[in-house]
Amino acid sequence: MIRVLLAEDQGMMRGALALLLGMEHDMEVVAQVGRGDEIVDAALVARPDVALLDIELPGRSGLDAAADLRTEAPDCRVLILTTFGRPGYLRRAMEAGAAGFLVKDGPVEELAEAIRKALRGETVIDPALAAAALGAGPNPLTARERDALAAAVDGATVADIATALHLSESTVRNYLSSAIGKTGTRNRMEAVRAARRQGWL
């Protein structure tokens, strides 16, 4: 049996996925979590063969958790299953060591087959998203620029961001200014929205 961990914050979606995958003759859902910061602990306890992770989860993103799993549970293959088919997300998923990237509107038969392929060592990517990612080019933002934009998401002041990131206010201003320039926007909130649209945040 293929042992599957599900990480999805919407309870109804998580339950439906568990039910559908449980109907496959060769699959068993051994763990379900609703938060990103619960993924690694659940994987260490349940020892899944494949972890099916949403991206936007409370506590920690599925992309960050995927990178953690590569270190903490290297035998567990990771598939990202998301509503948001953004090219930047695909690139980040591959950099985090994910074996595949699928959007949620596909049929469950394709999902089950993707799980089997991932376990065989194959990489599974939604074809339309793969084409979009190739055309989009790499993420131009540095890690620190991403941190500064992410900290600005809720309208935080430069002083708030500086405190949160343990940086000086002038350094934060420089990172935000650079990010605004690279995203071709007029201010930090526009830069946040543009970076999110591309999947860079």
Side-chain angles (χ1 to χ4, degrees):
M1 292 293 278
I2 301 171
R3 298 166 61 81
V4 180
L5 177 151
L6 285 178
E8 162 64 57
D9 61 331
Q10 296 179 18
M12 191 176 290
M13 171 70 84
R14 189 170 65 245
L17 277 172
L19 191 64
L20 290 167
L21 291 175
M23 294 168 71
E24 297 291 321
H25 67 91
D26 57 348
M27 289 182 197
E28 176 187 9
V29 176
V30 294
Q32 299 181 47
V33 297
R35 294 180 56 87
D37 50 12
E38 296 172 347
I39 291 170
V40 172
D41 287 344
L44 293 175
V45 171
R47 294 291 173 188
D49 300 305
V50 176
L52 199 56
L53 310 182
D54 192 7
I55 290 179
E56 297 194 355
L57 295 166
R60 191 160 176 74
S61 83
L63 295 172
D64 291 335
D68 293 343
L69 285 175
R70 184 166 56 177
T71 306
E72 301 288 332
D75 294 335
C76 177
R77 303 283 286 167
V78 173
L79 282 175
I80 300 293
L81 181 66
T82 184
T83 308
F84 305 103
R86 296 173 181 155
Y89 280 167
L90 172 57
R91 284 183 178 276
R92 287 170 59 199
M94 296 298 105
E95 287 166 6
F101 193 104
L102 302 164
V103 287
K104 287 180 182 174
D105 58 4
V108 73
E109 295 82 15
E110 283 184 15
L111 176 58
E113 190 52 36
I115 290 171
R116 294 182 188 103
K117 285 180 177 178
L119 201 56
R120 292 197 297 264
E122 297 177 40
T123 300
V124 189
I125 298 171
D126 179 88
L129 187 59
L134 285 172
N139 179 353
L141 301 175
T142 67
R144 272 316 205 175
E145 288 164 356
R146 286 198 306 268
D147 290 343
L149 281 182
V153 164
D154 296 323
T157 66
V158 168
D160 294 335
I161 297 168
T163 301
L165 298 180
H166 308 290
L167 297 170
S168 71
E169 290 184 30
S170 62
T171 300
V172 168
R173 281 193 195 90
N174 288 340
Y175 286 140
L176 290 173
S177 175
S178 179
I180 289 165
K182 288 178 179 179
T183 53
T185 53
R186 294 173 298 180
N187 57 54
R188 76 180 89 147
M189 294 318 295
E190 283 187 12
V192 165
R193 286 193 291 274
R196 279 188 153 171
R197 266 197 312 276
Q198 292 294 333
W200 296 337
L201 275 189

